[in-house]
Amino acid sequence: MATHPHPTRRDLVATLTASGLALAAFAPRRAGAGEDLPPTPACHDGDEPTMAETEGPFFKRKSPERSDLREKGMPGEPVWLTGFVLTRKCRPVGKALVDLWHADDKGEYDNEGFRLRGHQFTGPDGRYAFRTIVPGLYVPRTRHYHVKVQAAGKPVLTTQFYFPDEPGNARDGLFRPELIMRMTHAEDGLQAHFDIVLDLG
Ligand SMILES: [Fe+2]
């Protein structure tokens, strides 16, 4: 692989892992002490951008800025949803808007208020992190999150994230295997990871 003048995804992961920030997410992928981390399947240098999907009927503008979408007493299995917003060269995109909205544990959207809706901006390392729950199912869709991502001054990417090994995936015409999150089990819930690649150099 060619040497880049800017940090690559691999450098980024190594740095973050060294600082402990991404240890939970990346530890299972470490091959051994001192070895380089393999690039994630989501981002290879020169990779295609993350594919767009329909926003569906339940998007609402002006969601609150927050990282924790859960509310006291809200049912549902906890999820850490994390990842990096990256360019096609796997460089981090800081200050990118990441807007997340999804159904509750019963498969219902809050169209009156902003329950299970929120946005945040990536840090200089391009990382985003939401604390939320596993969305419930609603007909005819498989289980999914809705996401909009926008680098400052650039077009909005609207897409959806899917769960692995979900029986409804095969029956959902919108489902795309490229949009499956990498799932691991953390001590306090599921850890879902998806790196978003924007069509930026
Ligand atoms: Fe939906």
Side-chain angles (χ1 to χ4, degrees):
M1 180 183 282
T3 302
H4 299 291
H6 301 289
T8 65
R9 176 76 171 74
R10 185 175 300 195
D11 296 333
L12 187 65
V13 169
T15 302
L16 287 169
T17 304
S19 69
L21 287 173
L23 199 56
F26 294 106
R29 299 186 63 80
R30 298 191 73 171
E35 285 189 40
D36 230 351
L37 288 168
T40 67
C43 189
H44 303 282
D45 202 357
D47 205 356
E48 289 298 306
T50 299
M51 67 171 55
E53 288 228 295
T54 175
E55 74 176 22
F58 303 121
F59 174 66
K60 278 184 73 173
R61 294 184 178 280
K62 299 181 178 177
S63 71
E65 182 175 356
R66 55 182 175 176
S67 57
D68 194 343
L69 306 191
R70 298 169 307 161
E71 293 166 16
K72 197 173 174 70
M74 177 183 282
E77 185 174 6
V79 175
W80 290 100
L81 172 57
T82 65
F84 293 93
V85 179
L86 304 164
T87 69
R88 293 181 69 175
K89 293 184 184 301
C90 303
R91 294 169 182 155
V93 181
K95 298 181 182 174
L97 170 73
V98 182
D99 194 316
L100 172 69
W101 74 103
H102 63 88
D104 67 12
D105 189 52
K106 294 187 172 66
E108 294 172 354
Y109 286 83
D110 179 9
N111 297 310
E112 306 298 321
F114 289 94
R115 191 165 47 93
L116 296 173
R117 300 172 185 271
H119 75 269
Q120 61 184 251
F121 293 89
T122 56
D125 57 1
R127 186 171 188 263
Y128 70 92
F130 286 100
R131 191 77 168 123
T132 189
I133 61 165
V134 173
L137 290 165
Y138 64 93
V139 177
R141 299 299 319 280
T142 189
R143 205 178 304 278
H144 62 282
Y145 290 124
H146 292 272
V147 185
K148 283 182 183 280
V149 187
Q150 184 179 30
K154 301 295 182 182
V156 176
L157 168 69
T158 302
T159 191
Q160 302 185 29
F161 295 162
Y162 295 99
F163 288 73
D165 306 318
E166 186 69 34
N169 287 349
R171 298 190 293 268
D172 188 328
L174 291 175
F175 168 75
R176 294 290 180 274
E178 296 91 333
L179 296 174
I180 293 176
M181 298 174 288
R182 193 172 77 229
M183 304 290 293
T184 55
H185 287 275
E187 283 185 11
D188 52 350
L190 287 170
Q191 175 81 47
H193 188 95
F194 195 94
D195 291 335
I196 300 155
V197 180
L198 297 178
D199 192 8
L200 304 172

